[in-house]
Amino acid sequence: MHVLIPAAGSGSRMKAGRNKLLIELEGESLIFWTIKSILSASLVSWVGIIGQPNDKEELLKSVKNFSNKIKWINGGDTRQKSVFNGLNSLPSTAEKVLIHDGARCLIGPDLINKCASELEQNDAVILATKVTDTIKIVDNRGYVKETPNRQNLWAAQTPQGFLVKRLRKAHEMAIEKNWTVTDDASLFEMLNWQVKIIEGNSSNIKITSPLDLKIAKLFLKDS
């Protein structure tokens, strides 16, 4: 299985002043923990990091002994463009790909393998968790319009997995139609292509704030 890791986080909400994946968690960078988990998954055979050229040296240095097992790919000015660059940098033999946010550093190897296995029967899969909060849809004046049934609501995570040919086609169509999305599964949805949900867990958080970092430390200590 081939894995692409978008790793161009600016760290603005973390007030880091640099790529947030270089922030330390229990003595190692966030990207170190992400790479360690991914390379621990038995079904993973190839990993590419997509980042900005000015971050390359520091990011690869921070993953230490793993750096020789990783391909560096220069990203674009948006996540969407970066993933497209990543797809075009995959080996020609790659048929399936997992895309995983570099800031989700607590992903378990078992969930990575599960996503990879589900691609045997599906063109697209995403890890997600059931929403437990009551969600309100609000208008542009700040008034509640409706309350959707939370039984049908899931919070998307990563990895998200795809057949390479299908995802590349979806990105090409997005360029043609000038679509902008925040995750790759959204492209499949816009094209009415099926995406299978795989239930994840609450520890697979995305590090976006100082509070997330504190929570991640607790998860790591308990693991």
Side-chain angles (χ1 to χ4, degrees), residues 30-84:
L30 296 183
I31 191 65
F32 172 89
W33 293 110
T34 305
I35 295 293
K36 182 180 179 183
S37 286
I38 288 172
L39 290 175
S40 297
S42 58
L43 296 181
V44 171
S45 58
W46 185 98
V47 178
I49 293 182
I50 314 164
Q52 298 305 322
N54 58 324
D55 287 333
K56 179 179 180 180
E57 185 178 348
E58 276 192 282
L59 283 172
L60 291 180
K61 184 180 177 182
S62 78
V63 299
K64 300 178 179 177
N65 297 337
F66 301 139
S67 60
N68 62 344
K69 301 176 182 177
I70 297 164
K71 177 179 174 62
W72 177 267
I73 301 162
N74 286 334
D77 56 8
T78 65
R79 184 188 188 280
Q80 191 170 327
K81 290 177 182 177
S82 291
V83 171
F84 189 56

Side-chain angles (χ1 to χ4, degrees), residues 1 25 29 35 47 66 95 117 152 174 186 217:
M1 177 58 61
L25 173 63
S29 66
I35 295 293
V47 178
F66 301 139
E95 296 180 356
S117 297
N152 300 322
S186 296
K217 285 180 181 180

Side-chain angles (χ1 to χ4, degrees), residues 114-147:
K114 189 174 183 182
C115 290
S117 297
E118 287 285 342
L119 280 176
E120 296 296 325
Q121 289 84 36
N122 298 280
D123 289 356
V125 300
I126 68 169
L127 209 60
T129 55
K130 292 179 180 178
V131 169
T132 56
D133 293 330
T134 297
I135 303 297
K136 301 291 184 181
I137 296 176
V138 179
D139 65 20
N140 56 12
R141 297 178 301 142
Y143 291 94
V144 173
K145 291 176 63 179
E146 62 178 298
T147 304

Side-chain angles (χ1 to χ4, degrees), residues 105-200:
C105 59
L106 301 177
I107 183 67
D110 56 330
L111 284 178
I112 295 167
N113 282 336
K114 189 174 183 182
C115 290
S117 297
E118 287 285 342
L119 280 176
E120 296 296 325
Q121 289 84 36
N122 298 280
D123 289 356
V125 300
I126 68 169
L127 209 60
T129 55
K130 292 179 180 178
V131 169
T132 56
D133 293 330
T134 297
I135 303 297
K136 301 291 184 181
I137 296 176
V138 179
D139 65 20
N140 56 12
R141 297 178 301 142
Y143 291 94
V144 173
K145 291 176 63 179
E146 62 178 298
T147 304
N149 185 347
R150 68 183 180 194
Q151 295 290 327
N152 300 322
L153 297 177
W154 291 71
Q157 300 182 341
T158 64
Q160 299 189 351
F162 308 89
L163 298 188
V164 173
K165 284 184 180 178
R166 293 277 272 176
L167 184 57
R168 189 178 283 128
K169 177 66 175 175
H171 271 269
E172 288 169 352
M173 292 183 73
I175 293 168
E176 180 184 322
K177 297 177 182 293
N178 202 29
W179 289 341
T180 300
V181 295
T182 55
D183 76 340
D184 297 279
S186 296
L187 292 177
F188 271 57
E189 295 161 38
M190 292 170 84
L191 292 162
N192 291 316
W193 295 351
Q194 283 192 324
V195 179
K196 173 75 181 295
I197 287 283
I198 299 169
E199 188 163 7

